[in-house]
Amino acid sequence: YKTFYKKKITLEKASRNSQPVQYLERRIPSLDATRVCVSFAEAKFGRLFFKPITIPARIWISWKGTRAWKQLKNSTSSGSSTSG
């Protein structure tokens, strides 16, 4: 945990000199631009890290949803044709 904290502090110090941080600090002085940029980087890394898991999961969920929708559609259409 200490090494993670040290790396995060180092990243925050380094990001203070970056152009996006300086731009945000000029445009919105009340905003902590360093924290915004670090949060963006963390979120971006998180999405890239979990992408190999989430994309196959999305495909699987879509496939299951399509099958369920077809079964529901078939059961409602067969039920309405027998009642008429």
Side-chain angles (χ1 to χ4, degrees):
Y1 181 76
K2 287 182 181 181
T3 57
F4 173 75
Y5 183 73
K6 286 180 183 178
K7 287 180 181 180
K8 189 171 182 177
I9 296 294
T10 304
L11 178 63
E12 287 181 2
K13 287 179 182 177
S15 69
R16 290 183 208 275
N17 297 328
S18 71
Q19 289 180 349
V21 169
Q22 291 173 0
Y23 174 77
L24 285 173
E25 286 177 344
R26 277 195 313 269
R27 297 290 289 174
I28 310 168
S30 63
L31 182 74
D32 187 358
T34 302
R35 299 199 92 185
V36 170
C37 289
V38 169
S39 295
F40 173 77
E42 288 173 350
K44 187 74 171 172
F45 176 74
R47 285 192 297 273
L48 287 174
F49 180 77
F50 287 111
K51 194 178 279 189
I53 299 167
T54 58
I55 289 179
R58 287 180 187 178
I59 293 169
W60 181 79
I61 290 170
S62 297
W63 177 69
K64 287 295 240 183
T66 303
R67 286 185 57 200
W69 182 259
K70 284 182 181 179
Q71 286 178 352
L72 180 66
K73 193 174 176 182
N74 289 339
S75 67
T76 58
S77 65
S78 65
S80 63
S81 64
T82 57
S83 64

